Amino acid sequence: MPQDSVLALKRRARKINRELAQLYPYAHAELDFRNAFELLVATVLSAQTTDIRVNAVTPALFARFPTPLAMAQASTVELETLIKPTGFFRAKAGNLLALSTRLVDEYDGVVPGTLEALVTLPGVGRKTANVVLGNAFGVPGITVDTHFMRLAKRFGWTESTDPVRIEADVAALFEPKDWTMLSHRVVFHGRRICHARKPACGACPIAHLCPAYGDGEVDPVKAVKLLKYELAPGQEELLARMQADVENAAQYRQESQLAARAAQSIGGQP
């Protein structure tokens, strides 16, 4: 690619990031955690499921097994039962038991703070390692999950489908200090507006910067109906709270999800 094209791509990419920062000033890790171990476990559990489902499981899991030592000593059956709603629970339970044992035996029960060490743990790849590094240790990292992969291609930041290559391509466009928050913003946008099957192009504030504009619904009225979470119609109060109190946005999101689950539970009763 000619140098001027590379420069234009970088400028557009950084403008997208700035506008996403204005759109999601409250962007954060949507997995609930209180320490590096909880984030590590939650991220392992998040494979092939949603953060909402993981967040529904982890309170009871961490109440029962709050430390690597406690989890390393867990019975397989009990651990599988607790995490079953996240899917692939047998494989995940095996990974959690193995990584907890490794943490106890090799790291004195402390989650290591380097990419090189984290990726050696069972069930931990670069994506999980970057989530933990960026959000528990403050080490810049790009988290390439399915949302990030999809949007990175739509934005023209990469042509690859390989997560490692995508990470490298995107990293070249931004300063390291921006990597972690960029990841949150892009994932937020993917979950709320730029969906896999029906992106809400007509309601997207950064549509003017997107090479893929038109892949989804462009009619503004119809597109608004596709918005999710705090951007969805009827969620104006939640959005206002998250925008007005960025530091406590995660708590407001958690409360909203708990209320939604409670409503679903009541509605499902005979």
Side-chain angles (χ1 to χ4, degrees):
M1 183 183 296
Q3 186 61 34
D4 58 343
S5 298
V6 173
L7 183 59
L9 176 62
K10 183 177 292 188
R11 284 174 174 168
R12 182 165 55 83
R14 294 185 179 191
K15 189 170 184 180
I16 287 174
N17 183 40
R18 289 194 297 271
E19 296 204 13
L20 288 178
Q22 294 177 354
L23 182 60
Y24 307 110
Y26 48 82
H28 56 270
E30 293 188 273
L31 288 169
D32 300 337
F33 69 99
R34 295 169 297 184
N35 54 56
F37 176 64
E38 289 191 356
L39 180 57
L40 176 62
V41 170
T43 309
V44 170
L45 290 176
S46 70
Q48 304 299 314
T49 191
T50 65
D51 287 357
I52 293 176
R53 191 174 298 276
V54 174
N55 290 338
V57 164
T58 49
L61 177 67
F62 295 137
R64 184 70 181 88
F65 307 116
T67 65
L69 178 59
M71 191 167 290
Q73 296 173 339
S75 78
T76 300
V77 172
E78 183 178 7
L79 189 57
E80 288 180 351
T81 300
L82 285 168
I83 68 172
K84 188 173 183 178
T86 69
F88 302 95
F89 61 94
R90 291 190 176 89
K92 290 179 181 179
N95 284 332
L96 292 183
L97 287 169
L99 76 81
S100 296
T101 300
R102 285 276 303 281
L103 290 177
V104 172
D105 291 347
E106 299 182 24
Y107 298 100
D108 296 322
V110 177
V111 176
T114 67
L115 180 70
E116 294 75 17
L118 284 167
V119 295
T120 69
L121 298 174
V124 178
R126 288 185 66 91
K127 185 201 84 169
T128 296
N130 279 326
V131 169
V132 174
L133 289 173
N135 296 283
F137 293 99
V139 177
I142 293 174
T143 302
V144 183
D145 68 356
T146 55
H147 300 288
F148 195 97
M149 292 174 69
R150 180 175 73 253
L151 269 64
K153 290 202 72 174
R154 285 179 177 170
F155 291 157
W157 295 352
T158 185
E159 295 180 354
S160 179
T161 58
D162 175 63
V164 176
R165 181 63 192 177
I166 293 171
E167 182 183 339
D169 287 346
V170 176
L173 299 174
F174 298 92
E175 297 293 333
K177 64 182 177 62
D178 295 324
W179 291 349
T180 299
M181 285 308 301
L182 171 73
S183 299
H184 290 323
R185 293 164 188 154
V186 170
V187 170
F188 258 58
H189 195 63
R191 287 176 173 161
R192 287 152 177 78
I193 297 178
C194 196
H195 312 133
R197 284 181 287 185
K198 290 186 177 181
C201 294
C204 179
I206 63 167
H208 61 290
L209 295 170
C210 183
Y213 174 76
D215 284 359
E217 179 58 66
V218 297
D219 180 85
V221 176
K222 294 180 180 178
V224 165
K225 297 177 182 178
L226 299 174
L227 301 180
K228 294 183 179 180
Y229 304 112
E230 76 280 357
L231 298 185
Q235 294 296 315
E236 291 81 7
E237 182 179 349
L238 174 59
L239 175 60
R241 292 180 73 194
M242 294 178 75
Q243 290 175 330
D245 188 2
V246 171
E247 291 187 2
N248 292 306
Q251 176 185 335
Y252 300 145
R253 173 188 54 77
Q254 292 169 26
E255 291 171 352
S256 175
Q257 290 179 358
L258 287 171
R261 287 200 296 270
Q264 289 176 354
S265 177
I266 293 173
Q269 291 179 355

